[in-house]
Amino acid sequence: MKQTIYLILLCTLLVLTMGCTGNGTSNDVKAKAAWHQYSEAHKAKDLKRILAIIDSMETENIIGTPKADHLRGLAYDQGWQMQIAEHFYKKSYEGYASDPSQDWHTYTDAGYRWACLRFSRGDTEGALGVISKLMHQAEGNEAFPKRIESALLMLMANVQLQLHQFDEAKLTGQKVYEAVQQFNDNEHREGWNMAWACMNISDIHHKTGDIEEALEWIDRCAQGLALAEQEHHDSLMIEEWKGHVALLRALYQQESGHAAEAAATYAAIPHSRLMEPRSYTEAADYLMAAGRYNEAAYWYEQIDSTYLATDGAKMTFDIIATRLSPRYTAYRKAGRNADAMVIGDSISAAIDSALVWQKKNDAAELAVIYQTHEKELALNNAKAETRIHRILLVSAILLILLISYLLWRTYKNNQLLTAKNRKLYDEIEQRRKEEQQEMVQLQAAPEEQLTAEQQLYRRLCLLMDEQQPYTDETLNRNALARLLGTNAKYVEQAIRQCSKGETVSDFINRYRLEHVARLLKTTDDPIAIIGVLSGIPSRTTLIRIFRNAYGMTPSEYRKI
């Protein structure tokens, strides 16, 4: 018997091995087709299609998981979902960390982008940790991409500026220039690389107050653009960059006290070079420095109108700080007080809009990350099962009866669970009807027949129904008392006496859970988002108190 099983396993392994050979050409064709589909989806900026293609490429082993995570990070980055992009850059970077030689370019690019996103959200220490590790690996390493090395140095300089290490930032900027020169020597001194480095180094000196040095680096940037022009690069892009160089030169000349030269430099810039919001911002910066506030206000208006069609419904605090506030300042300094008041009202409304959008966006991104974790676990389980099945293909037949029995038991258990949950649901609905009838009776009762506690409780229930203050996670008895214009102690007494001994927390949570139940029945929103909208931002807390109150999880309630 043992010999028979051994022979069967050997035969199975042989068949599987034969099945894995001889299809290299087919795999190459499949890989080319997949990359072509990915390229087309990327050009169309179709996030769902991009992610589906990446999943397919990973499942079919065209790319490994770290590479797939890097591509996912790029896709979400392109879609401005930075929290999710950071999650995948981190996974890709850590996936290659044990052996970066698998793909130095993807490993370093993922690490650089992860560090950038950490720095952009204020995690300076975390960004510095990633930069330091990568720079240590770059020392004497010919395989380390030189372009990314110079980009890491530039990010390091910005971190040093953030930490007010101004001298160190200037030295790091000089290292960037030297690094660019080094890989330019190997690539025919590409003008674009020089222009990029010099413009960023100029910005470092400007931020540290060294205006004369900033002007010198801007001149070197112009030389790099001239070289790029000789190399026949994109003429439209070169014209755009010439506009940036001239605008920055005008700003620096103005700040260094050469107002006449600055005005002449600005006047000589053709309007055709001011092509996009960055140019508008630079023009407005110069005009504000020069005291030409009306003209500055014009460019701020151009910035706002350019973005309005694309992100008008997604107001963020960055947009308020970079677009609305400077425009308000320009109007005030130009004496256009009426326009300033209009923008001031817009800023006030925008802050409210930004708070709402940021809350919803954060919740949605967290939900995607949670779903991604679930998906990864399922994918890993599927891969493990596939490997096991390939080895134990014949042996699996012996488990069919056992699996069938377990499936039958599971089916019966699910039937029992469904019946139990249906009964619980009916009881919940009955209890809710009874509570509603009691509330209708309380609302209909003449006021002179009610005690002070009942009157206050009636007002409280109306407040909860009409204004839904329970959607604010910070709501407590003091907040309820303020909304009703009474004392917190009276609120607590009214709830305890009129709601069968409930505490204030129980009372608030009852309304929150009823709101959750309504959303579960009437929407397809993820449970995490429903919790946030109902004043319970913690998914774990939501599941715990929902189960305690209703005897089932939110997912089970939604099924019923």
Side-chain angles (χ1 to χ4, degrees), residues 175-195:
K175 289 180 182 178
V176 173
Y177 183 68
E178 293 168 0
V180 169
Q181 280 187 314
Q182 182 180 354
F183 72 74
N184 275 346
D185 287 339
N186 298 329
E187 302 177 12
H188 310 292
R189 295 188 62 81
E190 294 182 1
W192 273 126
N193 299 324
M194 295 291 293

Side-chain angles (χ1 to χ4, degrees), residues 4-5 11 45 80 93 96 129 134 201 209 226 245 252-253 287 336 343 360 375 415 448 484 489 505 513 519 537:
T4 304
I5 294 174
C11 291
K45 298 182 178 180
W80 289 95
Y93 171 76
Y96 284 117
L134 288 171
I201 297 167
V245 168
Y252 298 165
Q253 288 170 338
L287 293 166
R336 295 165 60 179
I343 291 297
K360 289 184 177 180
K375 180 181 174 183
Q415 280 188 321
E448 60 272 10
L484 293 168
K489 185 176 179 181
S505 296
L513 292 178
L519 295 178

Side-chain angles (χ1 to χ4, degrees), residues 34 78 216 240 252 258 261 266 306 378 431 460 515:
Q78 185 185 49
E216 290 183 18
E240 181 184 324
Y252 298 165
H258 300 88
E261 293 179 27
Y266 179 77
T306 300
R431 189 172 65 208
L460 177 58
H515 191 65

Side-chain angles (χ1 to χ4, degrees), residues 14 19 83 130 146 167 251 257 262 277 291 364 417 427 492 513 538 547:
L14 179 61
Q83 193 172 2
V130 178
K146 297 300 180 184
D167 292 338
L251 175 63
L417 181 61
E427 290 174 359
E492 189 172 11
L513 292 178
S538 168
R547 189 196 293 275

Side-chain angles (χ1 to χ4, degrees), residues 31 40 43 68 70 81 88 95-96 124 134 226 241 323 340 346 354 368 400 424 438 467 477 489 491 517 557:
E40 293 299 313
K43 288 177 184 177
H70 181 255
Q81 298 186 47
F88 283 113
Y96 284 117
T124 305
L134 288 171
W241 270 60
R323 295 202 334 236
S346 298
V368 170
I400 291 176
L424 284 171
E438 290 176 4
Q467 299 185 24
R477 68 172 196 165
K489 185 176 179 181
V491 171
Y557 183 89

Side-chain angles (χ1 to χ4, degrees), residues 4 76 141 179 202 291-292 344 442 467:
T4 304
Y76 281 111
N141 186 350
S202 168
R292 295 159 63 174
L442 182 62
Q467 299 185 24

Side-chain angles (χ1 to χ4, degrees), residues 74-188:
L74 293 173
Y76 281 111
D77 202 336
Q78 185 185 49
W80 289 95
Q81 298 186 47
M82 299 309 179
Q83 193 172 2
I84 307 174
E86 181 182 341
H87 167 76
F88 283 113
Y89 288 143
K90 176 178 181 287
K91 285 184 85 279
S92 177
Y93 171 76
E94 292 177 343
Y96 284 117
S98 60
D99 184 15
S101 61
Q102 300 173 72
D103 188 343
W104 272 106
H105 183 272
T106 303
Y107 167 68
T108 54
D109 187 72
Y112 169 70
R113 291 174 184 273
W114 181 33
C116 284
L117 289 176
R118 294 183 78 169
F119 177 64
S120 68
R121 63 176 172 81
D123 184 7
T124 305
E125 184 178 353
L128 196 56
V130 178
I131 296 168
S132 300
K133 181 178 179 180
L134 288 171
M135 293 305 301
H136 177 72
Q137 292 174 320
E139 293 176 5
N141 186 350
E142 294 297 325
F144 199 98
K146 297 300 180 184
R147 294 178 187 275
I148 294 179
E149 183 178 354
S150 61
L152 284 165
L153 283 167
M154 187 60 71
L155 181 57
M156 173 76 86
N158 280 288
V159 170
Q160 290 166 336
L161 284 175
Q162 184 77 24
L163 298 174
H164 298 282
Q165 298 173 353
F166 300 132
D167 292 338
E168 291 85 345
K170 291 178 183 178
L171 289 173
T172 305
Q174 184 62 39
K175 289 180 182 178
V176 173
Y177 183 68
E178 293 168 0
V180 169
Q181 280 187 314
Q182 182 180 354
F183 72 74
N184 275 346
D185 287 339
N186 298 329
E187 302 177 12
H188 310 292

